[in-house]
Amino acid sequence: MADWLTPDEWRAVALSLRVSFWATLVSLPLGVMVAYALARWDFWGKQVLNGIVHLPLILPPVVTGYLLLVTFGRKGTVGLYLDQWFGIVFAFRWTGAALAAGIMAFPLMVRAIRLAIEAVDPRLEQAAGTLGASRPWVFATVTLPLILPGIIAGAILAFAKAMGEFGATITFVSNIPGQTQTMPSAIYALLQVPGGDAQAARLVWIAIAIAMSALLLSEWVARAVARRISGT
Amino acid sequence: MADWLTPDEWRAVALSLRVSFWATLVSLPLGVMVAYALARWDFWGKQVLNGIVHLPLILPPVVTGYLLLVTFGRKGTVGLYLDQWFGIVFAFRWTGAALAAGIMAFPLMVRAIRLAIEAVDPRLEQAAGTLGASRPWVFATVTLPLILPGIIAGAILAFAKAMGEFGATITFVSNIPGQTQTMPSAIYALLQVPGGDAQAARLVWIAIAIAMSALLLSEWVARAVARRISGT
Amino acid sequence: MTLQIALRHRFAGFVLDVAFEAPAGVTVLFGRSGSGKTTVINAVAGLLRPDQGRITADDVVLLDTKAGTNLPPHRRRIGYVFQDARLFPHLTVRQNLLYGRWFAPKGAAAVELGRIVDLLGIGALLNRRPGALSGGEKQRVAIGRAILSNPRLLALDEPLAALDEARKAEILPYLERLRDELRLPILYVSHAISEVARLATTVVLMEAGRVTAAGPTAAILSDPVTAPLLGLREAGAILLATVVAQDDDGLTRLVCAAGPLWLPRVAAPVGASLRVRILAQDVMLATTRPIGISALNVLSTTVRDVRMGDGPGALVQLEAGDEMLLARVTRRSVDALGLAAGQPVFAVLKAVSVAQENVGATG
Amino acid sequence: MTLQIALRHRFAGFVLDVAFEAPAGVTVLFGRSGSGKTTVINAVAGLLRPDQGRITADDVVLLDTKAGTNLPPHRRRIGYVFQDARLFPHLTVRQNLLYGRWFAPKGAAAVELGRIVDLLGIGALLNRRPGALSGGEKQRVAIGRAILSNPRLLALDEPLAALDEARKAEILPYLERLRDELRLPILYVSHAISEVARLATTVVLMEAGRVTAAGPTAAILSDPVTAPLLGLREAGAILLATVVAQDDDGLTRLVCAAGPLWLPRVAAPVGASLRVRILAQDVMLATTRPIGISALNVLSTTVRDVRMGDGPGALVQLEAGDEMLLARVTRRSVDALGLAAGQPVFAVLKAVSVAQENVGATG
Amino acid sequence: AASMKTALDAVAADFQAATGHGVIISYGASNALAKQIIEGAPADIFVSAAVNWMDEVEKAGQVVDGTRRDLFGNALVLVAHGKDAAAVAIGPGFDLAGLLGDGKLAMAMVDSVPAGQYGKEALESLGIWSAVEGAVAQSENVRAALTLVSTGEAPYGIVYATDAVSDDNVTVVGTFPADSHKPIVYPGALLTGAADDADRAFFEALSLDAGDAKFVEQGFVILN
Ligand SMILES: Nc1ncnc2c1ncn2[C@@H]1O[C@H](COP(=O)(O)OP(=O)(O)OP(=O)(O)O)[C@@H](O)[C@H]1O
Ligand SMILES: Nc1ncnc2c1ncn2[C@@H]1O[C@H](COP(=O)(O)OP(=O)(O)OP(=O)(O)O)[C@@H](O)[C@H]1O
Ligand SMILES: [Mg+2]
Ligand SMILES: [Mg+2]
């Protein structure tokens, strides 16, 4: 493999995997929380939250990237303090790419999980309550297992989106080989070069192969979970 | 309003609305069909179909745009025949922008609808069968009404995505003011010019306002539907 | 219409293997929880495809796994009342009730909506959605929905379990009428022997996936061998009786092979022929005709068989003409009265013992 | 523990307005479908917040809308068996059964899993998931789950409706033991009067959202005014009797205020005190002591009241010492025997008429 | 500027081989890179495809005084789809509209992307902008415009000479006169974040003969 991929490409593949994995993993708990709040609670500003979650979908990715840059950049409103107080820097790091990917994928993840939560029969949650389970326990022992297919769907959507994310990422953290050059960035760069198409196509195939594997895996897991729930 | 938007911007707003609306509307029936097939049927090549549906999510938008170009372009493998036989041309038309937006939004739409279908209790469909309803009727009278919240969710995701779609669209149909210059293209163009930020921000706000209205509307409809189903 | 059913299916840990015939009328599937009743009905309705099996309704083949025939549920037209009501949550009660109408063949003998609604007492619920109904209300709507779909066969899975006695007493005669007037064959699952005795033309006893006995109701109920399977308290025989007169004090006079019979008012015209189930435990035996007692019915019979039970009881089979009667007494009484085959005895029966639900039209 | 319940709630088209007390023991809610029984239980369990209401269990306030107190369901610890089983589809039967264990206070008197599993006959199902259970199996698991959660109160909404007689006969004595041994208060919804008579300490009759009568079981069942509300066939009185001897021929000899009483074997030691429900329709009256009959029990009583019904029947209330008995006879017999208050009569009762389910421990 | 990738990569590789210092190059749209630099991107050298974005960076005080210089130049060409399209003479008032027929003219965005801006300027100065304005399909960047021509979607396009080099499906049918538009220059500068000698060395390497050769190969014009 190392033969037919340049080290830069190779690094792009590894980086994309790392970015997508962490973007998905870290945003998952938050996604579940937000989805739960949107599905089940009524609170002031609910529609505002809902809107904010959808924002990355609506905005051209470049805009999201700029917003990220001015917010989480080294001199950004938030980035500045994260750096000063916690030493956390997103700008031009792979973590920033993960942040961008996570945010771009967030609406997809939340919507999938939310749909799953809305489909849970509240009477089962009531039953758990009468058996002594408090709200958090009901969530952990009844709601969560029942929405697992939705969580898997949300995670795979997020992962796929993170693998393909380009506009916001390149705008936010630029396109630095080995650090922030994900596969889409690498493909983009190759497409800018006369004769880079063949090389780009190779990367595209790799991206497809990775995403398909993840997809198949998720389908398989979701199926196993669904079978368990349907009881056969 | 016409005061503070240039005619080109104004046309971009109108075009974006048109493109998103039609992209959503036309892909909806197909989305429902594909989601149903993925959720309920087992057929050869199911995972291939699943993969293809997800492809636009995984690929950098530029690549998707490029593939659209070589497929549905005037000289594209499919486009050629569409033109010759039906006189349908996508290239450099708003219909092409709608096609690109629809395809980019398709995975999101399908996933939302699929989750909703998977949550339908098959025992209700069985009951409809015993009452004399054939498969298509069961679908129309039981499944479809029950997945309405999922369809709404899928539609709003698709609409939002279509409003924000940029990379594939500009690659496929380029950026012709009044014909294919959607809001994201317009915003992108503005961001390329030093000092264009303020104007871009205005367009961004309009995009947000439109998408939020659509979102609120969809939430409201989904709520009404859910209330009907829960029976209170 | 005769339904021929032969099925073989295995779930993990459960094997269903049944074959029986359900002739016109009501066929009751009776058996303990988990004995496979619902599974049989599901197969008949086409919701379960058994490993092997053949189901025919007269000459229509609903299923034949060998020949590869498997009519889809909607072409079987079986009005199925599920054990769980399965109402459509997005439709109002009225829409639920009328759902089957859309698909019913045009011109089929239609049952009126208003009639069913009144019968089931769901008039006030028509515009509600199922989510806001009580358990019994749901079940009633489900019954209405199945009947109104104009089915060729009704399959009722414990339809009355969630209902109060009063409501049951209203619905049962209606089911009887469906059976008799529309000549609608009915497959009926029930744990309540009174429903069985009243409605059933045929009884199929199931146990752990197999049929242990099947046959005409009267035979099964008065057979001292199968009776205990139904629960001893419910053993009893069915007498055919004819209405002779409606007396002024609210009693109906009938005549059966064993003599005259007074029952609380039976809503049937003079001359009508009825099935009267007499529970074995309601019959008292006397060697001499008792006098000064409140029981109105004293029938002359002959002991045909005495079958001692394992416990303190005994089942005495009595003959009156060509009809059979069962009496359940203690072994102590058998000894005290010296009961033996061939001995004439008087069977004493209180008029009020015979519940309305045990008097049915012959069908 | 005494439960005080006062509720007011309105749904579109239905108003619930009840107030009653459920003392220790079993309180049965009895009423027609849609009368509000489930709604009451939901409010007690905390699943429905009524418009107004106050519910206390001894001095724990579960709900007080005026004071704004509303204990969440999980802190009420009410083992609720729902009308629809509501098992957790993602857990096995065993996990469903043990679900409440996680949350039960440590050290509470624990009911053993094995015991419940045997009782409910669900041993073979433990590793299955609810999706693959029959209707009755689901209901049994739901009962087990509620009991095993170590609740402070059991609320059972028609728990036995989907079960066969044999299974019911096994579960009922167990519920009785729960009531007596663990002194677990039970709220019980049922349409089956035999369950009511057997289990209930207190009966609450409901009709269209209101309580029409409430009180100790014996009083409600033997009251000629409330009895018809329960269904005439089920009217009957409860006699207190003491076991005197277990005879060899399978009969148990008891003694009650009206004299000796023979019943089919009662599984209770000599000296035990029992509640025996005697259905009005099983009692025959005679002006002279009958002889040569199969009925073993002839009790000397005095007529206390005769209440003519609308139809052909009459309810005769009999006195024997300080106990009451009810007999249901025809008006024709009342006339023929000249029954009137103060007249001594013999009440004739077959031993086998008294079903096992009508003999319960006093509780 | 992403269009320099081939040449820059080659120079960087040589530089690394010679000095042992690795070079990390981030390719992107000039505007995005400029904004990133202004927002504190850890960049040492900025090479822009547009003068105005370099101006922005300079205004933001990110450029080391005196290091800015115009590195390369480029030419604007008219390309046509196909291997052997007929050459056209580009001069004032030439009939581009007639050439196009009902086809489109592929360009980079004419108001924002440098290549598009130069192209529009050239067409204006030749007096044919108004004739073809309605037929212009504006792409995100030059490469995308080239792709449109390459796939035959648009019969003609205006791109940099450097981009037209290697595409077999397009033919350069004419070059715009250098005086029809502002000179196309790629300014480069050392950034204030840059400190060490290696940075300076590489910046120098960009303009050394060896470096130049690489760029010339790609069609760039050397300006220093
Ligand atoms: N999908 C399934 N997988 C495995 N076992 C099953 C499945 N469905 C039913 N069974 C088992 O088959 C047996 C028969 O089930 P069935 O539902 O026919 O019983 P039933 O006679 O209707 O009982 P009930 O009166 O309790 O409703 C039960 O033991 C049940 O556990
Ligand atoms: N959410 C609701 N909205 C409106 N009406 C309701 C709602 N829930 C219950 N009802 C009505 O309140 C009445 C009482 O319902 P409830 O479930 O308490 O009856 P029930 O006595 O348990 O009846 P059953 O024996 O049939 O289960 C019914 O008429 C029912 O239709
Ligand atoms: Mg069943
Ligand atoms: Mg109820």
Side-chain angles (χ1 to χ4, degrees):
Chain A
M1 215 153 171
D3 294 358
W4 51 281
L5 276 187
T6 68
D8 268 6
E9 288 170 358
W10 193 230
R11 265 177 281 157
V13 172
L15 183 71
S16 260
L17 278 175
R18 175 152 31 128
V19 162
S20 304
F21 177 78
W22 285 106
T24 307
L25 198 74
V26 172
S27 58
L28 206 49
L30 193 67
V32 173
M33 269 166 53
V34 171
Y36 192 86
L38 290 177
R40 286 291 167 83
W41 294 340
D42 263 322
F43 52 93
W44 190 92
K46 174 169 169 170
Q47 289 314 326
V48 175
L49 174 63
N50 196 15
I52 292 174
V53 167
H54 280 84
L55 222 45
L57 207 58
I58 301 157
L59 296 179
V62 186
V63 174
T64 308
Y66 275 141
L67 292 177
L68 284 173
L69 193 59
V70 295
T71 313
F72 291 100
R74 212 177 274 241
K75 304 194 179 160
T77 40
V78 176
L80 199 62
Y81 296 101
L82 281 180
D83 190 4
Q84 279 182 6
W85 296 349
F86 306 102
I88 298 176
V89 178
F90 284 114
F92 311 108
R93 303 265 171 95
W94 75 268
T95 46
L99 179 67
I103 283 183
M104 290 300 285
F106 203 60
L108 317 187
M109 176 186 275
V110 167
R111 187 55 90 152
I113 299 174
R114 178 175 167 186
L115 275 169
I117 292 175
E118 282 168 349
V120 169
D121 189 346
R123 294 177 308 166
L124 290 177
E125 296 172 322
Q126 288 184 343
T130 66
L131 290 164
S134 60
R135 279 294 182 111
W137 274 113
V138 171
F139 180 79
T141 59
V142 176
T143 320
L144 201 58
L146 288 176
I147 62 172
L148 218 49
I151 292 184
I152 295 169
I156 192 68
L157 274 180
F159 184 84
K161 172 73 203 169
M163 286 293 294
E165 211 317 287
F166 162 67
T169 308
I170 199 169
T171 310
F172 178 29
V173 293
S174 185
N175 179 17
I176 308 171
Q179 289 179 55
T180 62
Q181 187 176 60
T182 57
M183 287 168 78
S185 303
I187 292 170
Y188 176 81
L190 286 171
L191 286 177
Q192 299 300 316
V193 183
D197 295 14
Q199 233 180 324
R202 239 168 39 197
L203 277 183
V204 165
W205 281 115
I206 294 173
I208 292 178
I210 291 173
M212 288 301 126
S213 313
L215 196 61
L216 276 176
L217 185 71
S218 80
E219 292 283 334
W220 184 81
V221 174
R223 213 175 251 248
V225 170
R227 199 161 16 203
R228 275 187 57 169
I229 290 180
S230 82
T232 34
Chain B
M1 213 150 170
D3 294 0
W4 52 283
L5 277 187
T6 67
D8 267 6
E9 287 171 359
W10 192 230
R11 263 177 284 158
V13 172
L15 184 69
S16 261
L17 279 174
R18 178 153 30 130
V19 163
S20 304
F21 176 78
W22 286 106
T24 308
L25 197 74
V26 173
S27 59
L28 207 48
L30 193 67
V32 172
M33 268 165 52
V34 171
Y36 192 86
L38 290 176
R40 287 290 166 83
W41 295 342
D42 263 321
F43 52 93
W44 190 92
K46 173 169 169 167
Q47 289 314 325
V48 175
L49 176 63
N50 195 17
I52 291 175
V53 167
H54 280 83
L55 221 46
L57 207 58
I58 302 157
L59 296 179
V62 186
V63 174
T64 307
Y66 181 79
L67 292 178
L68 282 174
L69 195 58
V70 297
T71 314
F72 290 101
R74 212 177 279 243
K75 308 229 169 129
T77 41
V78 177
L80 197 62
Y81 296 100
L82 281 181
D83 189 4
Q84 279 182 3
W85 296 349
F86 306 102
I88 299 177
V89 178
F90 286 113
F92 304 124
R93 302 269 169 93
W94 73 267
T95 45
L99 178 68
I103 284 184
M104 291 300 286
F106 203 60
L108 317 186
M109 175 186 276
V110 167
R111 188 57 87 153
I113 298 174
R114 178 175 168 185
L115 275 169
I117 291 174
E118 282 167 349
V120 170
D121 188 345
R123 294 177 308 165
L124 290 177
E125 296 173 322
Q126 288 184 343
T130 66
L131 290 164
S134 60
R135 278 293 180 109
W137 275 113
V138 171
F139 180 78
T141 59
V142 177
T143 320
L144 201 59
L146 289 176
I147 62 172
L148 218 49
I151 292 184
I152 295 169
I156 192 67
L157 275 179
F159 184 83
K161 172 74 202 169
M163 287 293 294
E165 211 317 287
F166 165 67
T169 306
I170 197 166
T171 309
F172 179 31
V173 293
S174 155
N175 177 25
I176 307 171
Q179 288 179 60
T180 61
Q181 187 177 54
T182 57
M183 286 170 78
S185 299
I187 292 170
Y188 180 81
L190 289 170
L191 287 175
Q192 299 286 323
V193 189
D197 295 15
Q199 230 181 325
R202 237 170 39 199
L203 277 183
V204 164
W205 282 116
I206 293 174
I208 292 179
I210 291 173
M212 287 303 126
S213 314
L215 197 60
L216 276 176
L217 184 71
S218 80
E219 291 284 333
W220 183 82
V221 174
R223 214 174 250 248
V225 169
R227 200 160 16 201
R228 275 187 56 167
I229 290 179
S230 81
T232 35
Chain C
M1 194 178 87
T2 303
L3 204 62
Q4 298 271 7
I5 300 173
L7 298 171
R8 215 181 250 275
H9 188 72
R10 62 182 313 138
F11 288 125
F14 177 81
V15 180
L16 183 80
D17 186 357
V18 299
F20 62 88
E21 191 178 301
V26 175
T27 301
V28 167
L29 298 182
F30 191 88
R32 296 197 57 170
S33 170
S35 57
K37 308 178 293 295
T38 301
T39 308
V40 168
I41 295 211
N42 280 343
V44 172
L47 303 182
L48 173 92
R49 190 192 154 87
D51 298 338
Q52 284 171 44
R54 191 180 148 85
I55 302 174
T56 57
D58 281 346
D59 40 346
V60 184
V61 179
L62 301 181
L63 171 84
D64 189 337
T65 48
K66 272 214 203 86
T69 315
N70 187 9
L71 224 55
H74 69 277
R75 299 204 23 227
R76 298 194 182 191
R77 293 188 42 231
I78 290 175
Y80 190 164
V81 176
F82 296 88
Q83 208 167 353
D84 46 338
R86 302 199 194 176
L87 300 180
F88 302 125
H90 58 295
L91 301 181
T92 61
V93 166
R94 183 198 304 278
Q95 290 166 332
N96 265 283
L97 289 170
L98 292 177
Y99 186 86
R101 274 287 164 86
W102 303 358
F103 310 109
K106 296 289 163 278
V111 184
E112 258 177 73
L113 176 67
R115 172 108 179 269
I116 292 287
V117 165
D118 287 348
L119 172 79
L120 298 167
I122 48 180
L125 313 175
L126 286 179
N127 294 318
R128 294 237 215 114
R129 272 169 220 281
L133 298 183
S134 82
E137 287 164 350
K138 279 188 191 127
Q139 202 57 29
R140 283 182 270 159
V141 176
I143 296 173
R145 185 178 68 171
I147 294 176
L148 285 165
S149 74
N150 242 314
R152 110 168 97 197
L153 184 149
L154 265 181
L156 310 174
D157 199 349
E158 304 196 33
L160 308 182
L163 298 186
D164 51 290
E165 297 298 329
R167 185 63 65 189
K168 271 188 209 175
E170 284 164 38
I171 297 179
L172 273 174
Y174 183 77
L175 291 179
E176 243 166 24
R177 278 212 297 284
L178 284 181
R179 175 192 70 187
D180 301 338
E181 288 171 18
L182 295 187
R183 306 213 54 74
L184 203 60
I186 299 179
L187 265 184
Y188 194 100
V189 173
S190 176
H191 289 127
I193 206 64
S194 63
E195 290 169 23
V196 177
R198 169 143 189 191
L199 277 180
T201 318
T202 309
V203 175
V204 176
L205 288 178
M206 292 190 58
E207 175 123 20
R210 283 160 196 290
V211 173
T212 50
T217 312
I220 297 276
L221 290 183
S222 61
D223 180 343
V225 176
T226 52
L229 296 175
L230 299 168
L232 262 181
R233 283 182 55 71
E234 297 292 348
I238 288 179
L239 286 183
L240 280 184
T242 310
V243 177
V244 174
Q246 300 285 9
D247 292 350
D248 291 341
D249 56 0
L251 294 177
T252 298
R253 183 173 177 187
L254 301 99
V255 64
C256 70
L261 201 62
W262 274 274
L263 298 181
R265 174 72 79 236
V266 175
V270 169
S273 156
L274 299 175
R275 317 197 312 164
V276 180
R277 184 162 81 108
I278 303 208
L279 291 183
Q281 66 165 353
D282 287 340
V283 178
M284 197 189 298
L285 299 180
T287 46
T288 55
R289 180 177 282 270
I291 37 174
I293 61 163
S294 63
L296 292 178
N297 301 304
V298 180
L299 305 171
S300 315
T301 63
T302 312
V303 174
R304 184 182 151 142
D305 188 20
V306 177
R307 185 174 297 256
M308 295 295 189
D310 299 334
L315 264 183
V316 181
Q317 199 172 19
L318 307 165
E319 245 173 349
D322 51 357
E323 301 260 16
M324 296 290 168
L325 215 58
L326 275 185
R328 192 156 149 253
V329 298
T330 56
R331 296 212 308 241
R332 185 177 294 187
S333 298
V334 171
D335 293 343
L337 302 186
L339 297 180
Q343 183 185 347
V345 289
F346 294 96
V348 181
L349 177 73
K350 296 181 61 175
V352 293
S353 303
V354 180
Q356 288 289 347
E357 67 196 39
N358 283 336
V359 181
T362 54
Chain D
M1 193 179 87
T2 301
L3 205 62
Q4 298 271 6
I5 299 172
L7 297 171
R8 215 181 251 273
H9 188 72
R10 61 181 314 139
F11 288 124
F14 177 81
V15 181
L16 185 80
D17 185 358
V18 298
F20 62 88
E21 190 178 301
V26 175
T27 301
V28 167
L29 297 182
F30 191 87
R32 296 197 58 172
S33 169
S35 57
K37 308 177 295 293
T38 301
T39 309
V40 168
I41 295 209
N42 280 343
V44 172
L47 303 182
L48 174 92
R49 189 191 156 86
D51 298 339
Q52 284 172 46
R54 190 180 149 85
I55 302 174
T56 57
D58 281 345
D59 40 345
V60 184
V61 179
L62 301 181
L63 172 84
D64 190 336
T65 47
K66 273 216 201 82
T69 317
N70 187 10
L71 224 56
H74 69 278
R75 299 202 24 228
R76 298 195 182 190
R77 293 187 43 230
I78 290 174
Y80 190 165
V81 176
F82 297 87
Q83 208 167 352
D84 47 339
R86 301 199 194 178
L87 301 179
F88 302 126
H90 58 297
L91 301 181
T92 62
V93 166
R94 183 197 305 278
Q95 290 165 332
N96 265 283
L97 289 170
L98 292 177
Y99 186 86
R101 273 286 164 86
W102 302 0
F103 309 109
K106 296 287 163 279
V111 184
E112 256 176 73
L113 177 66
R115 174 109 176 270
I116 292 286
V117 165
D118 287 347
L119 171 79
L120 297 168
I122 50 180
L125 314 176
L126 286 179
N127 295 319
R128 291 237 216 117
R129 275 169 218 282
L133 299 183
S134 82
E137 286 165 350
K138 279 189 191 127
Q139 201 58 26
R140 283 181 270 161
V141 175
I143 295 173
R145 184 178 69 171
I147 293 175
L148 285 165
S149 74
N150 243 313
R152 108 168 98 196
L153 184 149
L154 265 182
L156 310 175
D157 198 350
E158 304 197 33
L160 309 183
L163 298 185
D164 51 290
E165 296 299 327
R167 185 63 66 190
K168 271 188 208 175
E170 284 164 40
I171 297 179
L172 274 173
Y174 183 78
L175 291 178
E176 245 167 22
R177 278 214 296 285
L178 283 181
R179 175 192 70 188
D180 301 337
E181 288 172 19
L182 295 186
R183 307 214 53 73
L184 202 60
I186 298 178
L187 265 184
Y188 194 99
V189 172
S190 176
H191 288 127
I193 208 58
S194 62
E195 290 170 22
V196 177
R198 168 142 190 193
L199 278 180
T201 319
T202 308
V203 175
V204 176
L205 288 178
M206 292 189 58
E207 174 124 19
R210 288 161 191 286
V211 173
T212 50
T217 312
I220 295 278
L221 289 184
S222 62
D223 180 342
V225 176
T226 52
L229 295 176
L230 299 167
L232 263 180
R233 283 183 58 73
E234 297 292 349
I238 289 178
L239 285 183
L240 280 184
T242 312
V243 177
V244 174
Q246 300 285 11
D247 293 349
D248 290 340
D249 56 1
L251 294 177
T252 299
R253 183 175 175 179
L254 301 98
V255 65
C256 69
L261 201 62
W262 275 274
L263 298 181
R265 173 73 78 238
V266 174
V270 170
S273 156
L274 298 176
R275 319 197 307 165
V276 180
R277 183 163 81 105
I278 304 212
L279 291 183
Q281 67 164 351
D282 286 340
V283 178
M284 198 189 300
L285 300 180
T287 46
T288 56
R289 181 178 282 270
I291 39 172
I293 60 163
S294 62
L296 292 178
N297 300 305
V298 181
L299 306 172
S300 314
T301 63
T302 311
V303 174
R304 184 180 153 147
D305 187 23
V306 177
R307 186 174 295 257
M308 294 296 188
D310 300 333
L315 264 183
V316 182
Q317 198 172 21
L318 307 166
E319 246 171 348
D322 50 359
E323 301 259 18
M324 296 292 170
L325 213 58
L326 274 185
R328 191 155 150 257
V329 297
T330 54
R331 295 212 308 244
R332 185 178 295 188
S333 298
V334 171
D335 293 343
L337 302 185
L339 298 180
Q343 184 185 350
V345 288
F346 294 97
V348 181
L349 178 74
K350 297 181 61 175
V352 292
S353 301
V354 180
Q356 288 288 348
E357 66 196 37
N358 283 335
V359 182
T362 53
Chain E
S3 48
M4 302 181 159
K5 183 168 164 58
T6 311
L8 264 182
D9 280 351
V11 174
D14 287 351
F15 180 73
Q16 176 156 14
T19 65
H21 288 290
V23 182
I24 296 170
I25 305 169
S26 173
Y27 299 98
S30 301
N31 66 316
L33 295 172
K35 287 198 180 161
Q36 285 163 1
I37 289 164
I38 293 166
E39 289 293 334
D44 304 322
I45 297 169
F46 179 42
V47 179
S48 174
V51 177
N52 52 6
W53 283 111
M54 181 59 90
D55 295 343
E56 288 292 308
V57 173
E58 202 165 16
K59 240 188 276 170
Q62 303 275 355
V63 171
V64 177
D65 286 344
T67 59
R68 172 170 174 174
R69 69 181 105 127
D70 292 338
L71 292 173
F72 317 109
N74 211 337
L76 215 52
V77 297
L78 183 68
V79 291
H81 176 65
K83 283 195 199 330
D84 34 36
V88 294
I90 296 177
F94 86 108
D95 186 17
L96 186 53
L99 220 48
L100 291 171
D102 57 359
K104 297 279 181 196
L105 177 65
M107 294 174 71
M109 288 186 170
V110 295
D111 291 325
S112 43
V113 176
Q117 289 168 326
Y118 293 128
K120 179 180 176 186
E121 195 187 349
L123 293 176
E124 274 171 346
S125 73
L126 295 176
I128 54 175
W129 170 248
S130 53
V132 297
E133 185 178 3
V136 173
Q138 308 178 36
S139 291
E140 183 190 353
N141 54 51
V142 197
R143 295 296 310 178
L146 185 66
T147 304
L148 288 178
V149 181
S150 166
T151 56
E153 206 60 39
Y156 290 94
I158 299 175
V159 299
Y160 289 132
T162 52
D163 291 302
V165 175
S166 65
D167 196 316
D168 293 341
N169 291 322
V170 302
T171 322
V172 175
V173 293
T175 304
F176 284 87
D179 58 1
S180 65
H181 51 80
K182 280 200 217 98
I184 302 171
V185 293
Y186 293 74
L190 272 176
L191 301 177
T192 48
D196 56 19
D197 297 339
D199 297 331
R200 284 171 199 283
F202 184 67
F203 192 56
E204 291 310 317
L206 281 180
S207 24
L208 278 180
D209 291 347
D212 287 347
K214 298 271 180 337
F215 283 93
V216 171
E217 235 168 69
Q218 294 298 321
F220 286 100
V221 178
I222 310 304
L223 293 180
N224 56 338

